[in-house]
Amino acid sequence: MTNKKFLHNTGTFLIFGGPSVFAFFAVVLIPFLFGLYLTFTNWDVRSGDHTFLGLANYVEVFQDKTFLTQLWFTLKYVLFTVVIANVAAFFLAFALTSGFKGQQLLRTGFFTPNLIGGLVLGYLWQLLFSQVLPYLGQKYGWALFETSWLTDTNKAFWALVIVSAWQLIGYLMIIYISGLMSVPVDVIEAAGIDGANGFNKIRKIILPLSAPAIVICIFISISRSFLTYDLNLALTKGGPFNSTELSSYHVVQKAFLSNEYGVGQSEAVVLFVIVAVIALTQAYFLKKLEVEA
Amino acid sequence: MKRSKVIILGVCLALVFSILAACSKNNSTSNDPEASSGSNSSQSSKEVKLTFFNTSAEINTVFENLFKVYKQEHPNVTIELIPTAIGGEQLQKFQSLLASGKPATIANLDAGTIHQYKDKFLDLESEKAKYENLALPGAIDGALLDGKFIGVPYTAQGYGLLYNKRIIDEVIGSSFDPSTIKTRSDLEALFKKIEAAGKAPVIIHGADWSLGAHYQGLAYSLQSNNVEENRKFVEELKQGTVDLSTNTAFNGLMDTFDLLKKYNARKNDPLVADYNKDSADFAKGEAAFYFMGDWSWAVIGPLEGRDKDFGILPVPISDNAADFGNSQVAYTEPKLFAIDNSGSTPEQQEAAKAFIEWMITSEASQKAIIGEAGLAMPYKDRKVESSNPMSSAISKYVAEGKTVNIGVINYFPSDWWSKTGASMQKYLVDKIDRAGLTKEVQDYWKSTAGK
């Protein structure tokens, strides 16, 4: 009897979970492990074969000064993107759950950037930054926009942050909305009767009660912005003079343009470890803040 | 109740299997060389499928149309285009195809890339004599890589200071004769006149490929008229035994760059580097000169309201008219057709050879490449006249033997233009001075020693 039930359960799992498990192994796990193996070799697409090198590639990673400076650059980028995107998404969600007319339409509107691929988005904003804004800037004498933001190292950084945050906001907003909707109305009303003002309501009640949404949003935004590649490629191409190369972009350049696959791949692994450590640590600590209503 | 569960289960199963079936169907029709070789052996040479990797991104559609024409003439050969984007990640795409074991049968690549991957391509030595008969004198020699014929050149391109004849004619009040500009001072005098007339003298396109590969590439090509000599010069740079800061050609070229910088129409924001806008502004007469090559015709040609008459000047490097480079334009056969030898079947290779010959000799393809795309082909029997005044101007230099062969850059590392192009960009926006630039370029070369 139990045997039959076990078989039945396995069958059900295979039907529903099987395809995803297969896909996960085929396109994530196996390539990842194989990639990990390649970091210990001197594999080169031109020759096609490889010999075992041990840790030599990893030693070179930490001697690659550009990689380290760009890692630092990436950390700054992630920090600003995550903070801006989450704060903006939270307040957007807050505004769009207050129940006014047309909030559904606005939700859809803010979510749309997420549906556009990073490349298209990047090219759109590139046009905006390098043609439209300078045109307006010169016409109306706005000093901030007179030259393209993408040709100045500092402004190009902010351009990257703005566009990435803009793309993320809609996605995070949806999660925050569902988090906010789960905050019981009677608790907020009770707080109002007890004399709490709007700021206190947010700080003492809404924030702690929507902590699960915050944990998820920060996790998603950290892992996504660490691995930004398409936006980087379309918006700045790493320029001006390679000053806005994010780590993923650098990895691809190193591996495919400079023909140093082993080192590039090792840098990708290092990046993976850093992302995993940061994202998991924040999830662990923030989870402790969660409370039950 | 039970029956409905069975039905649901059945529907789910059917869905899953149909998805799997769809996947496997996709696989068998993809360009997997092994799959097509399997079908080839059973139904010999009935149906050949070729893939064509194209890095001449500006004429993707021209090629695509040609493949359709070829399909009509040769119904058993299907050619599929693998397009790339202008200035996009072309090399990365090529490498990932190669690494995944599904290389394109024919690749239209930079000669330098073909040299790097020379083990992957078919040796075309047996075809060499045929192409030598077809080509202009010296064209096949110019396409040899390490003395071997592995890529068929299909276009010849030149670059330098393109000029808009109408603007200069208006400024000097008579018909402009390019041979009057022999030295840097001549050019400066003309720039001054243009500026005094209220026009912008020159556009420098601020992209790293233009500044790095093209402008700085001249420095190595101007060392001598012999590609092998120039290669030796770069080897010495890698070893650190020559010093760029005292090199005449390099410094002369950079002095001219200072001049261009001073009169650059994009002075406010030199790195904007919008290729379409720069080309269009030049073609509409917003600047008299433009450091670019005849390939910009792909943008300029179809433009509405553009000027008609364009020409080209060499980039002068000194005030001595007799110096090498002052009357020669940079000339190269930048793109070669090469045939894959790492994953393609003999049938595919034979079909590819036939197709390449057709691309060089047929009227349809010449019409498309010379007529439509406005490229120059380094072959004798041309059935179409070029619509591109710039490449006609370059052809004149070629006929007179006044060219700088920039073949040395074919042997450079693939990240050369991107790395030193970044240094040139810094120099363009005054982030580093001449000494800083020289140091960065030399440091780059030293870092590549032994690789």
Side-chain angles (χ1 to χ4, degrees):
Chain A
M1 190 63 192
T2 46
N3 197 14
K4 203 172 174 191
K5 195 166 185 190
F6 173 75
L7 270 182
H8 181 256
N9 282 345
T10 323
T12 318
F13 173 76
L14 276 183
I15 290 165
F16 292 105
S20 357
V21 171
F22 172 76
F24 177 71
F25 269 84
V27 304
V28 179
L29 202 62
I30 296 174
F32 179 78
L33 292 177
F34 186 62
L36 205 59
Y37 162 72
L38 284 181
T39 61
F40 300 109
T41 69
N42 64 348
W43 185 79
D44 187 329
V45 72
R46 287 172 294 183
S47 56
D49 51 347
H50 53 264
T51 49
F52 197 74
L53 285 182
L55 288 173
N57 283 331
Y58 288 94
V59 173
E60 208 167 313
V61 169
F62 292 102
Q63 287 169 347
D64 183 355
K65 263 194 200 146
T66 25
F67 176 67
L68 297 178
T69 49
Q70 273 156 6
L71 201 58
W72 176 238
F73 179 81
T74 310
L75 281 172
K76 278 195 293 181
Y77 158 83
V78 170
L79 182 77
F80 284 111
T81 310
V82 168
V83 170
I84 293 175
N86 279 284
V87 170
F90 182 81
F91 283 105
L92 263 183
F94 196 66
L96 295 181
T97 45
S98 55
F100 62 90
K101 252 190 179 175
Q103 66 177 19
Q104 284 299 341
L105 188 76
L106 283 176
R107 284 183 195 177
T108 319
F110 284 115
F111 185 70
T112 314
N114 225 283
L115 300 173
I116 310 169
L119 273 179
V120 178
L121 206 70
Y123 285 124
L124 279 174
W125 278 84
Q126 199 224 24
L127 191 75
L128 207 64
F129 277 123
S130 66
Q131 301 296 338
V132 180
L133 288 178
Y135 174 77
L136 293 174
Q138 280 157 21
K139 201 168 173 191
Y140 299 107
W142 302 332
L144 186 61
F145 293 119
E146 265 177 7
T147 57
S148 164
W149 274 34
L150 304 176
T151 57
D152 178 285
T153 45
N154 287 321
K155 287 185 193 159
F157 169 77
W158 286 108
L160 265 180
V161 170
I162 289 171
V163 180
S164 322
W166 185 71
Q167 190 190 15
L168 269 172
I169 284 172
Y171 191 68
L172 302 180
M173 177 194 73
I174 297 291
I175 302 174
Y176 279 125
I177 285 176
S178 66
L180 290 174
M181 305 251 266
S182 67
V183 176
V185 184
D186 48 349
V187 181
I188 301 177
E189 276 173 358
I193 292 166
D194 289 344
N197 59 16
F199 175 71
N200 270 336
K201 275 190 217 165
I202 293 184
R203 200 169 74 92
K204 297 268 170 67
I205 299 171
I206 297 174
L207 267 183
L209 284 179
S210 50
I214 297 176
V215 175
I216 295 173
C217 281
I218 293 185
F219 184 85
I220 289 176
S221 48
I222 286 181
S223 55
R224 271 229 214 161
S225 43
F226 253 115
L227 303 177
T228 305
Y229 173 77
D230 45 2
L231 255 180
N232 199 187
L233 171 70
L235 196 63
T236 66
K237 283 209 180 71
F241 30 88
N242 306 339
S243 60
T244 60
E245 282 187 3
L246 294 171
S247 288
S248 316
Y249 191 84
H250 177 78
V251 165
V252 175
Q253 298 285 316
K254 188 92 187 168
F256 295 110
L257 190 64
S258 306
N259 280 328
E260 296 194 42
Y261 303 90
V263 182
Q265 179 74 10
S266 310
E267 287 173 350
V269 172
V270 171
L271 185 66
F272 166 78
V273 172
I274 293 173
V275 178
V277 167
I278 293 181
L280 292 177
T281 329
Q282 73 82 23
Y284 175 77
F285 283 109
L286 281 182
K287 261 218 170 317
K288 291 191 167 176
L289 298 178
E290 286 181 18
V291 289
E292 293 290 321
Chain B
M1 189 67 192
K2 230 179 177 179
R3 185 179 265 175
S4 69
K5 259 189 183 165
V6 172
I7 293 173
I8 290 171
L9 196 74
V11 171
C12 287
L13 270 177
L15 272 175
V16 168
F17 282 121
S18 62
I19 290 167
L20 290 177
C23 291
S24 65
K25 205 172 189 182
N26 258 340
N27 279 342
S28 66
T29 52
S30 78
N31 52 349
D32 186 342
E34 266 151 351
S36 47
S37 74
S39 62
N40 270 341
S41 53
S42 57
Q43 31 177 214
S44 64
S45 80
K46 260 191 180 162
E47 191 64 47
V48 187
K49 193 161 185 254
L50 308 177
T51 47
F52 184 96
F53 185 84
N54 181 30
T55 56
S56 301
E58 63 279 13
I59 52 170
N60 275 331
T61 41
V62 172
F63 278 143
E64 219 157 11
N65 293 336
L66 272 179
F67 300 161
K68 278 180 206 148
V69 176
Y70 193 72
K71 173 87 184 162
Q72 279 164 8
E73 291 180 24
H74 306 79
N76 61 332
V77 183
T78 311
I79 301 160
E80 189 193 319
L81 182 79
I82 304 175
T84 62
I86 293 178
E89 311 290 271
Q90 303 181 326
L91 205 56
Q92 283 86 326
K93 198 166 172 184
F94 172 72
Q95 286 164 327
S96 54
L97 281 174
L98 202 58
S100 68
K102 288 183 181 177
T105 333
I106 308 169
N108 167 28
L109 285 173
D110 293 8
T113 315
I114 293 184
H115 177 248
Q116 283 210 344
Y117 291 88
K118 52 179 185 279
D119 302 337
K120 303 285 179 191
F121 292 113
L122 191 67
D123 190 349
L124 298 175
E125 212 57 35
S126 57
E127 307 267 299
K128 190 177 163 189
K130 181 168 74 192
Y131 283 104
E132 266 174 342
N133 281 332
L134 290 169
L136 291 175
I140 297 301
D141 274 346
L144 297 184
L145 293 165
D146 274 339
K148 272 166 75 183
F149 186 55
I150 39 179
V152 181
Y154 85 96
T155 144
Q157 299 187 328
Y159 66 84
L161 290 166
L162 304 179
Y163 63 83
N164 186 324
K165 191 160 183 299
R166 176 181 64 89
I167 301 296
I168 304 180
D169 285 355
E170 278 174 21
V171 168
I172 60 174
S174 62
S175 181
F176 175 59
D177 174 11
S179 66
T180 55
I181 307 294
K182 292 190 179 75
T183 63
R184 187 187 306 126
S185 313
D186 293 344
L187 188 68
E188 185 165 15
L190 182 59
F191 277 3
K192 275 188 182 144
K193 271 189 211 160
I194 297 168
E195 198 177 52
K199 309 263 183 201
V202 62
I203 292 178
I204 307 179
H205 182 66
D208 51 3
W209 53 266
S210 179
L211 298 173
H214 297 159
Y215 200 86
Q216 205 193 82
L218 278 173
Y220 312 102
S221 316
L222 286 171
Q223 297 299 328
S224 99
N225 207 358
N226 179 328
V227 177
E228 289 306 314
E229 290 289 315
N230 296 338
R231 278 180 83 179
K232 230 180 266 164
F233 174 76
V234 175
E235 273 312 309
E236 284 167 357
L237 263 181
K238 289 184 187 175
Q239 307 305 327
T241 51
V242 293
D243 190 3
L244 271 187
S245 64
T246 56
N247 188 271
T248 334
F250 178 77
N251 280 308
L253 195 66
M254 290 318 293
D255 287 343
T256 309
F257 193 69
D258 290 342
L259 175 72
L260 298 180
K261 228 167 98 172
K262 192 173 155 199
Y263 290 97
N264 185 9
R266 300 276 182 259
K267 220 184 315 186
N268 293 332
D269 204 0
L271 299 180
V272 165
D274 186 319
Y275 178 62
N276 287 323
K277 188 172 191 311
D278 284 356
S279 305
D281 283 0
F282 163 70
K284 289 181 177 167
E286 281 181 36
F289 285 90
Y290 181 31
F291 177 71
M292 195 47 70
D294 54 356
W295 56 83
S296 59
W297 192 247
V299 175
I300 294 176
L303 212 63
E304 263 178 55
R306 66 170 166 86
D307 284 315
K308 298 271 174 305
D309 221 349
F310 303 94
I312 186 166
L313 280 184
V315 179
I317 55 157
S318 70
D319 273 340
N320 177 7
D323 279 352
F324 177 57
N326 282 343
S327 52
Q328 288 87 358
V329 289
Y331 173 77
T332 174
E333 290 153 345
K335 305 271 184 186
L336 310 179
F337 291 148
I339 301 174
D340 170 68
N341 197 25
S342 67
S344 306
T345 62
E347 286 86 359
Q348 284 178 315
Q349 291 176 343
E350 283 312 310
K353 279 183 194 169
F355 171 70
I356 289 176
E357 196 181 334
W358 182 85
M359 284 290 268
I360 302 297
T361 53
S362 80
E363 197 175 337
S365 78
Q366 289 198 354
K367 251 186 194 154
I369 295 173
I370 301 177
E372 249 179 84
L375 299 173
M377 292 181 88
Y379 292 93
K380 281 181 229 158
D381 179 27
R382 277 167 298 182
K383 294 151 184 116
V384 197
E385 266 310 304
S386 172
S387 60
N388 180 350
M390 300 167 193
S391 69
S392 309
I394 289 165
S395 300
K396 253 180 230 156
Y397 281 92
V398 176
E400 291 166 22
K402 287 182 177 171
T403 55
V404 178
N405 184 344
I406 60 159
V408 62
I409 68 170
N410 293 343
Y411 302 98
F412 288 179
S414 50
D415 60 358
W416 155 69
W417 58 269
S418 141
K419 295 267 169 76
T420 60
S423 307
M424 288 291 286
Q425 286 181 326
K426 286 184 200 165
Y427 186 75
L428 181 60
V429 295
D430 291 323
K431 210 172 177 226
I432 49 175
D433 59 3
R434 180 79 60 89
L437 172 77
T438 315
K439 186 178 178 307
E440 282 197 7
V441 173
Q442 294 208 127
D443 284 350
Y444 169 76
W445 284 117
K446 280 177 197 157
S447 77
T448 64
K451 275 188 188 164

